[in-house]
Amino acid sequence: MEQQPNLIVRNSVRHDLCLRGQVRVIPEEEGGVRLSPSAGTKDGYVDVDIVDIASGGLGFISMVFFPRTCLLETRVFGPGDGTALVLTARTRVQRVCMTDRRPAYLMGCSFDALTPESKAQLASLLDSLSGQDPA
Protein backbone atom coordinates (compact mmCIF):
# COMPACT_ATOMS: atom_id res chain seq x y z
CA MET A 1 0.00 0.00 0.00
CA GLU A 2 1.39 3.40 -0.98
CA GLN A 3 1.81 6.14 1.62
CA GLN A 4 0.24 9.44 0.87
CA PRO A 5 3.06 12.00 0.87
CA ASN A 6 0.82 14.95 1.80
CA LEU A 7 -0.76 13.25 4.80
CA ILE A 8 -0.40 15.32 7.99
CA VAL A 9 -0.02 13.25 11.13
CA ARG A 10 -0.20 14.75 14.62
CA ASN A 11 2.99 13.84 16.46
CA SER A 12 1.71 14.74 19.91
CA VAL A 13 -1.22 13.90 22.14
CA ARG A 14 -3.90 16.56 22.38
CA HIS A 15 -5.57 16.91 25.77
CA ASP A 16 -9.15 18.17 25.83
CA LEU A 17 -9.78 20.25 28.94
CA CYS A 18 -11.41 23.38 30.26
CA LEU A 19 -9.12 25.78 32.09
CA ARG A 20 -9.28 29.51 32.67
CA GLY A 21 -6.88 31.53 30.57
CA GLN A 22 -6.00 35.03 29.45
CA VAL A 23 -4.50 36.36 26.24
CA ARG A 24 -3.16 39.72 25.16
CA VAL A 25 -1.65 41.02 21.95
CA ILE A 26 2.14 41.03 22.26
CA PRO A 27 3.32 44.67 22.46
CA GLU A 28 5.59 44.38 19.41
CA GLU A 29 2.52 43.29 17.43
CA GLU A 30 0.31 46.20 18.57
CA GLY A 31 1.00 48.23 15.43
CA GLY A 32 -1.02 45.73 13.44
CA VAL A 33 -3.66 44.59 15.96
CA ARG A 34 -5.28 46.84 18.51
CA LEU A 35 -8.25 45.97 20.72
CA SER A 36 -11.09 48.42 21.13
CA PRO A 37 -12.15 49.55 24.62
CA SER A 38 -15.31 47.45 24.24
CA ALA A 39 -13.17 44.27 24.22
CA GLY A 40 -13.35 44.26 28.01
CA THR A 41 -9.66 43.83 28.70
CA LYS A 42 -8.21 43.65 32.21
CA ASP A 43 -4.71 45.14 32.18
CA GLY A 44 -4.60 44.38 28.46
CA TYR A 45 -5.67 40.73 28.88
CA VAL A 46 -8.85 39.13 27.57
CA ASP A 47 -10.37 36.22 29.53
CA VAL A 48 -10.63 32.98 27.52
CA ASP A 49 -11.45 29.31 28.08
CA ILE A 50 -8.57 26.99 27.19
CA VAL A 51 -10.19 23.93 25.59
CA ASP A 52 -7.25 21.83 24.42
CA ILE A 53 -3.47 21.70 24.64
CA ALA A 54 -0.63 19.69 23.13
CA SER A 55 3.12 20.10 22.81
CA GLY A 56 2.66 22.11 19.61
CA GLY A 57 -0.05 24.52 20.69
CA LEU A 58 -3.41 25.10 22.31
CA GLY A 59 -6.99 26.01 21.56
CA PHE A 60 -9.22 28.51 23.30
CA ILE A 61 -12.66 30.05 23.05
CA SER A 62 -12.85 33.83 23.17
CA MET A 63 -15.59 36.42 22.94
CA VAL A 64 -13.00 38.68 21.23
CA PHE A 65 -11.78 38.07 17.68
CA PHE A 66 -8.02 37.81 17.01
CA PRO A 67 -6.91 37.50 13.36
CA ARG A 68 -4.78 34.69 11.98
CA THR A 69 -1.00 35.10 12.50
CA CYS A 70 -1.59 37.47 15.44
CA LEU A 71 1.01 36.99 18.20
CA LEU A 72 -0.40 36.59 21.70
CA GLU A 73 0.93 36.19 25.20
CA THR A 74 -1.16 33.37 26.62
CA ARG A 75 -1.62 32.54 30.29
CA VAL A 76 -3.10 29.23 31.45
CA PHE A 77 -4.36 28.89 35.01
CA GLY A 78 -4.61 25.62 36.89
CA PRO A 79 -7.76 23.76 37.93
CA GLY A 80 -9.61 24.47 41.14
CA ASP A 81 -10.02 28.15 41.94
CA GLY A 82 -8.15 29.05 38.72
CA THR A 83 -5.67 31.43 40.32
CA ALA A 84 -2.47 29.38 40.02
CA LEU A 85 -0.61 30.34 36.84
CA VAL A 86 0.69 27.10 35.26
CA LEU A 87 1.86 28.33 31.85
CA THR A 88 2.82 31.60 30.20
CA ALA A 89 3.73 31.25 26.53
CA ARG A 90 3.93 33.18 23.29
CA THR A 91 1.41 31.81 20.77
CA ARG A 92 0.46 32.54 17.18
CA VAL A 93 -3.14 32.27 15.98
CA GLN A 94 -3.31 29.66 13.20
CA ARG A 95 -7.03 28.92 12.97
CA VAL A 96 -10.19 30.90 13.77
CA CYS A 97 -13.73 29.57 13.66
CA MET A 98 -16.87 31.38 14.79
CA THR A 99 -18.69 28.95 17.07
CA ASP A 100 -22.07 30.65 17.46
CA ARG A 101 -23.93 33.94 17.29
CA ARG A 102 -22.83 35.32 20.69
CA PRO A 103 -20.28 35.72 18.95
CA ALA A 104 -17.66 33.36 20.26
CA TYR A 105 -14.54 32.25 18.43
CA LEU A 106 -12.61 28.99 18.63
CA MET A 107 -8.94 29.79 18.06
CA GLY A 108 -6.18 27.33 17.37
CA CYS A 109 -2.70 28.60 18.24
CA SER A 110 0.79 27.25 17.83
CA PHE A 111 3.52 27.91 20.37
CA ASP A 112 5.99 30.48 19.07
CA ALA A 113 9.59 30.82 20.31
CA LEU A 114 9.10 29.18 23.71
CA THR A 115 11.52 30.26 26.42
CA PRO A 116 13.23 27.61 28.56
CA GLU A 117 10.86 28.56 31.41
CA SER A 118 7.80 28.17 29.15
CA LYS A 119 9.09 24.80 27.90
CA ALA A 120 9.46 23.57 31.48
CA GLN A 121 5.97 24.84 32.41
CA LEU A 122 4.46 23.17 29.33
CA ALA A 123 6.24 19.86 30.01
CA SER A 124 5.02 19.89 33.62
CA LEU A 125 1.44 20.66 32.55
CA LEU A 126 1.43 17.95 29.86
CA ASP A 127 2.90 15.43 32.33
CA SER A 128 0.17 16.22 34.85
CA LEU A 129 -2.50 15.83 32.16
CA SER A 130 -1.00 12.49 31.12
CA GLY A 131 -1.09 11.27 34.71
CA GLN A 132 2.69 11.20 35.01
CA ASP A 133 4.60 12.57 37.97
CA PRO A 134 6.55 15.65 36.92
CA ALA A 135 10.25 15.16 37.52
Side-chain angles (χ1 to χ4, degrees):
M1 178 183 218
E2 279 187 48
Q3 267 213 266
Q4 297 177 355
N6 295 329
L7 184 64
I8 297 173
V9 178
R10 185 181 296 271
N11 291 325
S12 62
V13 176
R14 187 176 88 190
H15 300 276
D16 292 323
L17 46 82
C18 186
L19 294 175
R20 189 172 83 79
Q22 293 179 325
V23 297
R24 74 174 177 96
V25 176
I26 290 183
E28 64 200 42
E29 184 72 9
E30 282 183 5
V33 176
R34 198 171 294 166
L35 298 179
S36 74
S38 65
T41 63
K42 298 173 190 161
D43 298 324
Y45 287 91
V46 174
D47 290 330
V48 299
D49 294 320
I50 308 294
V51 295
D52 67 64
I53 193 163
S55 60
L58 54 78
F60 64 84
I61 294 177
S62 171
M63 301 298 266
V64 176
F65 175 81
F66 295 95
R68 287 183 61 229
T69 73
C70 180
L71 286 172
L72 303 172
E73 179 182 320
T74 303
R75 294 174 169 177
V76 179
F77 296 92
D81 64 2
T83 59
L85 184 62
V86 296
L87 174 64
T88 301
R90 179 177 157 138
T91 59
R92 182 177 300 275
V93 177
Q94 299 292 343
R95 170 179 47 88
V96 180
C97 177
M98 185 181 227
T99 61
D100 54 40
R101 291 182 179 202
R102 283 180 268 184
Y105 304 94
L106 175 61
M107 312 243 178
C109 299
S110 61
F111 292 119
D112 189 86
L114 289 177
T115 65
E117 181 182 1
S118 292
K119 286 180 185 178
Q121 290 173 334
L122 178 60
S124 177
L125 178 57
L126 292 174
D127 285 348
S128 70
L129 292 170
S130 296
Q132 299 175 13
D133 259 343

